[in-house]
Amino acid sequence: MMRYKKFPILLLSLALVILIIFPAHAEQKQAYTERVFVSGYGEVTVIDPAIPKVVASIKVDGPVRDMSFTKDGKMAVVNANDRKTLYVIDTVENKVIDSITLTGRTDKGLLDRRIWGAAVSPDGSKAYAFVTQGEKQKNIFKSLPTKILEIDLKTKEVTRDIEAPYGVHVLQFKENDPNTIFVWGYDLYTLDLKNWKISLKKGIKNSKNPEKEGVGGFLLLFPRGHENGFNSFPIIKSYPDGRVTEGIMWMNMNTGVVKSVEFDQEPVGMFSAVIDKAETTGYVILNDWYKVDLKTGKVLKKSKPPTGSIYGINTSTDEKKLYLAAAGNHFVVADRELNIEKIIELPTDGFDLRVVRIQK
C-alpha cells in the first residue's frame, strides 16, 4: 500500500521539475529579444532594458534625428549627418551595413537635400524619405519642391518621387499594409504606394470643424512606432472662443482611426506621449510627467522627471514598465505608477527612444 500512496507525490514532484525546466510561456518569451534604441549624438545607443545595460553604441555622423525599423526588428534606417544621410543598421549585429547620402550634383550646381522623416518598408527592401531640397548655384540658392523619395536599398537609387506638403516630419507604414504610408505634417495624409498618390486623411492644423475639434498644434518628432500598435503624441488645441487646451492625440496604426482627449489641467507643454494597447491610460512627459485616463482626460498622477527634462517615453513590450530617455544622458526604468526602479547613464545625450522586438 505504501508504494501507491507515494505515487501521487512522485507525480507532483515530476510536474514541479517540468515547470522548472520548461516554464510557462517559455516559447513566447524566447520568440524575440527586446531592445531599446536611443537616438544619440554620433551614435545609436542600444540598451538591454531587462538589466538595464548599454550593449552597443552604433556610430554614425552627427545627431540621429529619427529611426524606423522593419517588421521583424532586424534592420533599421536612421536619419543623421545633418539630415543628409540614411544609415542602414543591422540590429542583430548592431552595426551600420550601408549608408545613403541624398545630396548630389546637378547641371548647374549642387542638389542639397535634407531629410525630415523617413521609413523603411516592412520587408527592408525600400526606404521612403521626405526631403526639403534646393539647388546651390554659384551665387544663388534655388528652392525646389518638397518631396517624398522612394529609395531602393540594394541599388541606393531613387526610384520614384512625389511632391508632398511642406512641413512633413514623420513617415510611418500602416500596420499589416505594406502599400500605405501615414504622412504626418501639419495635417495627416496617406501615401498610396500602388497608385503613387497622396491624399488628405485628417485636418489637424487645418481642422474642418474648429469649433468642435479645435485647431491642433503638435511637435510630432517622436513617433512611437509599430510595437504597441499606436502612434501617440501631445497636442495643443486652440478654439475660436479663445480656449487653449493640452491633451493626447493617438492613431491606431492598423485601422487608421484617430482619437484625442484633453487634460483636466492647464497647458504646460509636453514633448512625448505613449498609450497602452487597451486605450485606457496614457503617459506624457517633458518637464512634468503625467499618467492620464484616456476616457476622461483626468490626470491620475503627476510627478517630475527624475533627471530633469526628458524628451522620450515608451512602454516595455509587455506594457509592465515605462522607459524614459533623451534630452540628457540617462535611461530610466519606472513602473506604471511613475515609481522609479532604475537609472543608468548613457554615452551621449539623446533625442528619442524606440522599443523594438527583434525576432529570433
Side-chain angles (χ1 to χ4, degrees):
M1 291 294 293
M2 288 298 294
R3 66 177 182 270
Y4 294 109
K5 289 182 179 178
K6 290 180 178 179
F7 187 67
I9 298 175
L10 289 173
L11 284 177
L12 179 60
S13 299
L14 180 60
L16 289 172
V17 169
I18 291 172
L19 285 172
I20 292 169
I21 297 175
F22 304 104
H25 308 298
E27 184 177 347
Q28 182 180 358
K29 289 184 179 179
Q30 294 174 358
Y32 66 88
T33 300
E34 182 183 62
R35 289 290 182 262
V36 177
F37 293 82
V38 177
S39 48
Y41 289 80
E43 70 171 63
V44 176
T45 306
V46 187
I47 301 166
D48 181 346
I51 301 175
K53 178 184 178 181
V54 174
V55 294
S57 292
I58 306 169
K59 302 302 181 183
V60 297
D61 293 326
V64 177
R65 294 301 183 184
D66 56 37
M67 303 177 286
S68 178
F69 296 81
T70 54
K71 181 70 174 178
D72 61 11
K74 293 181 179 180
M75 192 176 87
V77 170
V78 305
N79 171 12
N81 189 27
D82 199 22
R83 299 188 182 275
K84 293 183 291 188
T85 302
L86 294 176
Y87 291 89
V88 183
I89 292 174
D90 180 330
T91 61
V92 177
E93 299 293 330
N94 289 321
K95 64 181 182 180
V96 173
I97 57 175
D98 212 341
S99 63
I100 301 167
T101 299
L102 295 176
T103 56
R105 302 296 304 182
T106 69
D107 292 339
K108 297 181 180 179
L110 174 68
L111 178 61
D112 183 44
R113 284 174 172 154
R114 304 298 164 122
I115 305 159
W116 295 88
V120 62
S121 61
D123 65 359
S125 64
K126 293 181 174 65
Y128 296 83
F130 173 82
V131 296
T132 55
Q133 54 183 0
E135 185 181 59
K136 291 182 178 179
Q137 300 177 11
K138 185 174 182 180
N139 296 316
I140 63 171
F141 181 85
K142 180 183 178 183
S143 294
L144 298 175
T146 55
K147 291 186 175 184
I148 294 175
L149 311 180
E150 179 185 74
I151 305 152
D152 187 306
L153 291 179
K154 285 186 177 179
T155 65
K156 299 198 275 191
E157 296 293 325
V158 175
T159 53
R160 291 189 291 183
D161 65 71
I162 187 171
E163 286 194 30
Y166 183 82
V168 170
H169 37 265
V170 169
L171 304 179
Q172 293 176 303
F173 271 88
K174 185 178 182 181
E175 194 74 12
N176 301 314
D177 182 354
N179 294 307
T180 302
I181 294 177
F182 293 116
V183 179
W184 295 89
Y186 295 117
D187 300 302
L188 174 60
Y189 300 82
T190 56
L191 172 58
D192 180 341
L193 297 184
K194 281 189 175 180
N195 298 308
W196 202 234
K197 179 182 178 181
I198 290 180
S199 303
L200 177 66
K201 178 175 174 57
K202 181 177 177 58
I204 299 175
K205 181 178 180 181
N206 299 293
S207 171
K208 291 184 178 180
N209 190 354
E211 289 79 11
K212 182 179 179 181
E213 296 182 341
V215 174
F218 56 92
L219 187 65
L220 185 57
L221 297 176
F222 315 123
R224 294 305 95 197
H226 64 268
E227 290 303 340
N228 76 345
F230 292 92
N231 186 24
S232 47
F233 48 92
I235 187 166
I236 300 286
K237 290 184 179 182
S238 59
Y239 290 86
D241 61 7
R243 288 181 297 128
V244 178
T245 66
E246 185 169 25
I248 300 178
M249 179 172 280
W250 67 95
M251 183 186 67
N252 185 309
M253 299 288 289
N254 187 50
T255 65
V257 173
V258 179
K259 299 178 182 179
S260 66
V261 67
E262 298 174 356
F263 303 153
D264 65 343
Q265 304 276 324
E266 290 294 318
V268 296
M270 295 288 191
F271 249 44
S272 190
V274 69
I275 71 167
D276 60 15
K277 293 177 184 177
E279 298 179 77
T280 58
T281 309
Y283 301 88
V284 293
I285 202 162
L286 179 58
N287 298 318
D288 291 284
W289 184 13
Y290 292 170
K291 175 182 179 180
V292 182
D293 185 324
L294 293 182
K295 304 299 182 185
T296 65
K298 179 178 177 58
V299 175
L300 302 173
K301 192 165 186 179
K302 183 176 180 179
S303 184
K304 289 287 183 181
T307 58
S309 300
I310 290 179
Y311 290 165
I313 186 169
N314 217 323
T315 64
S316 58
T317 54
D318 62 10
E319 295 196 322
K320 293 180 180 179
K321 304 293 181 184
L322 298 176
Y323 300 146
L324 318 176
N329 66 326
H330 294 92
F331 174 72
V332 180
V333 180
D335 66 21
R336 292 184 56 163
E337 294 303 316
L338 316 189
N339 300 308
I340 306 301
E341 296 185 354
K342 189 77 173 180
I343 301 175
I344 63 170
E345 288 192 7
L346 305 181
T348 171
D349 289 353
F351 193 62
D352 190 27
L353 79 163
R354 288 286 303 280
V355 180
V356 178
R357 289 185 181 97
I358 302 174
Q359 300 299 321
K360 293 185 177 179

